[in-house]
Amino acid sequence: MAIMTRVATRALGGAPAVLLGLAGAGHAQLQNGFYKGKCGANDVEAVVQGIVRSRFARDAPIVAYLLRMQFHECAVNGCDGGLLIDGPGTEKTASPNLSTASPNLSVKGYDLIADIKAELERRCPGVVSCSDIQILATRDAVALAGGRPYAVRTGRRDRRQSRASDVSRASDVVLPAPDSTAAQSVAFFRKLGLSEFDAVLLLGAHTVGATHCGVIKDSRLYKYGGRAGATDPALDPYYAFVYKTWRRRGVLPCDQNLYGDGASTKWIVNLLANNSDLFPSLFPQALIKLGEVNVITGAQGEIRKVCSKFN
């Protein structure tokens, strides 16, 4: 059963107000307005925005799908379109991108990226990369869902590589787990060149979307610490009651752990909770940094004709 997720941001005290290192230098060859004048009379970003708006009007959860897609894309080999490739042994087929047990747990939104690509190929063949489409579509969906509008630099190329083994090796999954500790989450994002602050902001994307009861049932609600009937004491008693009865909302352990005793991220959660304008203004900056992880530009890679297969 799907249950809504949210970051636990109960603030108990003050926090330092100085924020450093939130905006990275990014990739030197990415540019604002990279496609201006490259698609005839067409405004590439406006075309993407129009298609995303149409989809959002009838399928609001698309914002959660695209946010998850961008993370699963950029966190493995960078923002290179590798997740979009069909076929055996590709990133798309690896856990946690594809769940055979529950399709609802699989990454979604591929069809929207394909629709945008098809329209842009009709207007200006071989110009716009699939990796740029992903970043632009996510940006537009966030704004449509009430987030602050933000500009992204484009000029990415699509990598001719997509391997399931880069996502999961045997029983080891490269991407963070739902029960990751704060230290594990921060360490993962640092490997991507992102800060501790970025980690908290990006995990804040869990304020939209859905997870499944099974993700928190044993770890937090009914068998905490391996003890039958035990509930995680860090979980607000009221919300524990809500999760056990209504099953409409939930919180992942990795989110709650950001506010755990001794967590180096606790002051950041306090800061964001005590300053309601901070998260909306800083979240886009973290997304921008994520979208520029290990991109390829210039003559590298290719501009795919179809996002789900190499040229």
Side-chain angles (χ1 to χ4, degrees):
M1 180 184 297
I3 47 182
M4 296 305 295
T5 65
R6 63 177 60 199
V7 177
T9 54
R10 297 180 61 205
L12 301 179
V18 178
L19 308 181
L20 300 175
L22 292 181
H27 197 287
Q29 291 181 292
L30 296 178
Q31 303 172 26
N32 289 111
F34 176 83
Y35 292 109
K36 187 175 182 180
K38 292 183 171 71
C39 192
N42 299 285
D43 181 334
V44 167
E45 296 195 21
V47 171
V48 174
Q49 185 182 61
I51 297 173
V52 173
R53 182 186 293 113
S54 177
R55 174 65 176 268
F56 181 81
R58 66 178 189 275
D59 184 19
I62 191 64
V63 62
Y65 303 161
L66 291 174
L67 281 166
R68 187 183 185 204
M69 179 188 288
Q70 179 171 331
F71 176 69
H72 283 228
E73 175 71 83
C74 297
V76 178
N77 295 330
C79 309
D80 61 1
L83 179 58
L84 303 174
I85 296 293
D86 286 338
T90 62
E91 290 180 31
K92 187 182 287 188
T93 68
S95 173
N97 296 330
L98 177 65
S99 173
T100 55
S102 176
N104 286 332
L105 292 178
S106 300
V107 173
K108 300 177 183 178
Y110 300 117
D111 59 327
L112 174 61
I113 304 301
D115 289 346
I116 296 170
K117 179 61 174 174
E119 180 60 21
L120 288 171
E121 283 296 300
R122 186 183 70 80
R123 296 176 182 238
C124 49
V127 172
V128 185
S129 70
C130 298
S131 46
D132 271 344
I133 290 172
Q134 288 178 288
I135 302 302
L136 290 169
T138 301
R139 184 270 305 270
D140 294 336
V142 168
L144 287 166
R148 298 276 177 85
Y150 60 97
V152 294
R153 300 195 297 175
T154 47
R156 296 165 187 78
R157 303 269 291 183
D158 302 321
R159 200 184 307 271
R160 290 187 56 80
Q161 175 181 303
S162 181
R163 300 183 300 227
S165 59
D166 290 337
V167 183
S168 57
R169 305 179 186 94
S171 60
D172 176 40
V173 176
V174 174
L175 294 166
D179 60 353
S180 292
T181 65
Q184 288 170 331
S185 293
V186 169
F188 177 85
F189 283 99
R190 285 201 189 282
K191 289 180 181 178
L192 301 180
L194 304 179
S195 70
E196 183 177 65
F197 213 110
D198 294 323
V200 176
L201 289 168
L202 289 170
L203 286 174
H206 286 154
T207 54
V208 297
T211 185
H212 280 242
C213 292
V215 176
I216 64 170
K217 183 177 68 175
D218 290 340
S219 64
R220 305 208 70 193
L221 295 179
Y222 300 108
K223 202 175 180 182
Y224 178 76
R227 302 188 306 275
T231 300
D232 183 353
L235 184 60
D236 184 288
Y238 170 73
Y239 281 113
F241 169 76
V242 169
Y243 306 149
K244 290 180 178 181
T245 54
W246 299 344
R247 299 292 176 90
R248 294 176 66 100
R249 288 184 285 184
V251 61
L252 298 175
C254 62
D255 298 332
Q256 181 67 47
N257 290 341
L258 296 175
Y259 200 69
D261 290 337
S264 64
T265 52
K266 190 169 185 176
W267 75 269
I268 302 173
V269 177
N270 275 329
L271 180 64
L272 295 172
N274 285 327
N275 299 271
S276 60
D277 193 54
L278 272 183
F279 180 82
S281 62
L282 296 178
F283 178 63
Q285 300 304 312
L287 272 182
I288 290 169
K289 290 177 68 174
L290 176 64
E292 296 192 357
V293 170
N294 197 24
V295 299
I296 59 173
T297 59
Q300 298 174 296
E302 64 182 13
I303 302 295
R304 291 184 204 142
K305 297 176 183 178
V306 178
C307 289
S308 59
K309 63 182 181 181
F310 302 124
N311 289 346

